Amino acid sequence: MSRIYKYLLTFTGVQEIEMPKGAQVIHVGVQSEVICIWAIVDPAQPTERRSFAILATGQPDFDPKIVHHLGSVIMTGGALVRHVFEPATAKELR
């Protein structure tokens, strides 16, 4: 049976999260000044590590052809904007 799970992300950089295989990210947002992603998951599935990159506006080059933009968040009353990406494969953001 599918459920919606929330995953917390750090403020910036590339990070890996254990998620059930086939998890579908449905939203990126901020809760209590923490960047979060929400995903539809089947908790009965084995887990896999997925990579996510949190980038600031104007941050150094990346190749937009190899990443999927999941969403952008506005934090601290509009003073900070962060963009959340997932690579087509995990090693592409390293």
Side-chain angles (χ1 to χ4, degrees):
M1 174 175 275
S2 294
R3 297 183 180 177
I4 297 175
Y5 280 7
K6 175 177 70 175
Y7 298 89
L8 307 180
L9 301 175
T10 60
F11 188 67
T12 192
V14 177
Q15 56 220 271
E16 291 186 342
I17 295 178
E18 287 280 334
M19 305 173 85
K21 285 188 178 189
Q24 176 189 358
V25 175
I26 59 169
H27 184 68
V28 175
V30 174
Q31 188 174 42
S32 302
E33 293 300 312
V34 175
I35 300 171
C36 303
I37 58 174
W38 285 263
I40 298 172
V41 304
D42 179 351
Q45 292 296 312
T47 62
E48 64 182 353
R49 295 181 78 69
R50 289 177 55 178
S51 295
F52 298 91
I54 314 306
L55 304 174
T57 301
Q59 197 159 333
D61 297 337
F62 70 98
D63 186 346
K65 293 182 294 252
I66 63 168
V67 295
H68 305 286
H69 179 253
L70 298 174
S72 297
V73 296
I74 299 171
M75 305 175 68
T76 62
L80 296 172
V81 178
R82 294 293 182 260
H83 311 281
V84 181
F85 294 88
E86 184 175 19
T89 64
K91 61 184 174 183
E92 291 173 341
L93 284 176
R94 294 185 194 283

